[in-house]
Amino acid sequence: MEETLDMKKLLTFTALPALAMVAACGPDSPREEMGDRMEERADAIEDVGNDRAEALEERADEAETDAREDMLNERAEEIDDIGDEAADEINEVADELE
């Protein structure tokens, strides 16, 4: 019983600073909310690029020739980079809004 009380005290004590921070922050402004939505959009764009790149890499693994495999892998890398760059640009704008 005493262990349970000590554990509850410990959890309460460690959670208080985090709760205080959340309370101090208050609700996001519309500008911050827009930044959050932009970050979510950036994540989605990056995920799409990653998924497309992975699909191409799988096709590359099954390619008939080494040249075709190299071409598909190169294209997969380009697509991944495009998604990453687009996400980075959106995140930069989102950071300015927050």
Side-chain angles (χ1 to χ4, degrees), residues 11-90:
L11 289 173
T12 302
F13 183 71
T14 57
L16 284 177
L19 291 173
M21 250 185 173
V22 170
C25 293
D28 286 347
S29 71
R31 184 179 169 105
E32 290 171 326
E33 288 178 10
M34 181 184 291
D36 291 343
R37 286 192 303 273
M38 290 180 75
E39 287 176 345
E40 290 171 8
R41 180 72 179 140
D43 290 343
I45 289 171
E46 189 172 15
D47 290 344
V48 168
N50 290 341
D51 291 345
R52 289 183 179 170
E54 285 178 30
L56 277 175
E57 288 169 351
E58 288 174 12
R59 284 181 45 202
D61 290 341
E62 299 168 1
E64 298 283 328
T65 65
D66 288 342
R68 177 84 174 142
E69 180 180 5
D70 291 344
M71 185 203 60
L72 289 170
N73 280 326
E74 187 175 313
R75 184 65 184 141
E77 190 172 323
E78 290 171 358
I79 289 173
D80 187 49
D81 289 345
I82 289 168
D84 290 347
E85 289 169 11
D88 287 345
E89 288 175 16
I90 293 170

